[in-house]
Amino acid sequence: IPGIQRDYVWKTTQVRDLMDSLYRGYPVGTMLVWDTDQHLPVRSLGTTEWKNLETVLKQSLLLDGQQRLTSLYYALVTGHVNLYFNALAGAGTFAATTAKRSWSVRSIPVRELVHSSVEAVLKNCNYDLSRPDYSVVRARVQRLFDILDRVVSIDTLHDFDYQEVTN
């Protein structure tokens, strides 16, 4: 992320809404990347530490999409944003909380998506296969996992200098 980007500012409710949009298949916007050979201060996604990468010949810098990508990183990888999915409410809903919850189909930790499977989640939730709504709940949990396979458009700027990108 280049130094021209603001810090991460999204609230937990915005992260929840992003996950809900991904779950429902709504568009979540295009990412904008700048391929440049200019040496600029940069930082990694989810950090505040700035670095100069003098040895890099070409770098791809994220110009638009930092809030969304950092939110996904915090929700799915680090657990910095604590989101839970309720497979029984409506067509499936997300909730944000600071409290740790026990596993259930009303409380599936979103951060487990990258470490688990649909079957493992349902097993951890102790959800009975013989329940009449099992196929509906399983489909909602599958749809939750489908978030990991969503494709987001990325536009790339080439041959632009710093002045052009910052104007």
Side-chain angles (χ1 to χ4, degrees):
I1 298 174
I4 57 175
Q5 285 282 20
R6 65 183 173 155
D7 289 336
Y8 180 73
V9 296
W10 269 24
K11 296 180 178 5
T12 304
T13 54
Q14 291 171 291
V15 181
R16 179 203 61 208
D17 293 347
L18 173 64
M19 290 299 294
D20 186 67
S21 292
L22 288 166
Y23 175 75
R24 297 181 190 292
Y26 298 159
V28 293
T30 299
M31 304 292 169
L32 181 62
V33 171
W34 175 33
D35 282 347
T36 182
D37 55 3
Q38 296 179 43
H39 297 288
L40 303 167
V42 296
R43 62 185 157 91
S44 297
L45 190 68
T47 67
T48 56
E49 182 182 320
W50 294 99
K51 305 174 200 168
N52 280 313
L53 303 177
E54 298 295 332
T55 58
V56 175
L57 297 177
K58 194 158 196 96
Q59 50 191 348
S60 294
L61 303 175
L62 184 64
L63 296 178
D64 185 29
Q66 178 213 167
Q67 302 298 313
R68 289 168 283 161
L69 282 179
T70 302
S71 294
L72 292 172
Y73 179 70
Y74 285 165
L76 295 169
V77 178
T78 69
H80 182 71
V81 174
N82 222 4
L83 291 180
Y84 290 86
F85 178 74
N86 182 338
L88 293 179
T93 61
F94 292 88
T97 181
T98 55
K100 187 165 178 132
R101 297 180 178 180
S102 58
W103 278 75
S104 80
V105 291
R106 287 186 169 86
S107 186
I108 299 168
V110 169
R111 72 183 172 284
E112 293 300 322
L113 294 180
V114 295
H115 307 290
S116 197
S117 66
V118 172
E119 289 72 25
V121 163
L122 291 170
K123 183 178 179 184
N124 283 336
C125 293
N126 295 316
Y127 203 67
D128 186 358
L129 290 158
S130 64
R131 289 187 56 140
D133 63 349
Y134 178 82
S135 62
V136 171
V137 168
R138 190 191 185 295
R140 289 176 182 167
V141 174
Q142 178 61 58
R143 192 169 166 191
L144 176 65
F145 273 84
D146 291 346
I147 289 172
L148 299 175
D149 295 325
R150 281 287 304 271
V151 175
V152 176
S153 297
I154 300 174
D155 287 339
T156 304
L157 300 177
H158 304 277
D159 303 321
F160 283 80
D161 65 26
Y162 184 82
Q163 284 296 85
E164 291 174 297
V165 169
T166 57
N167 283 336

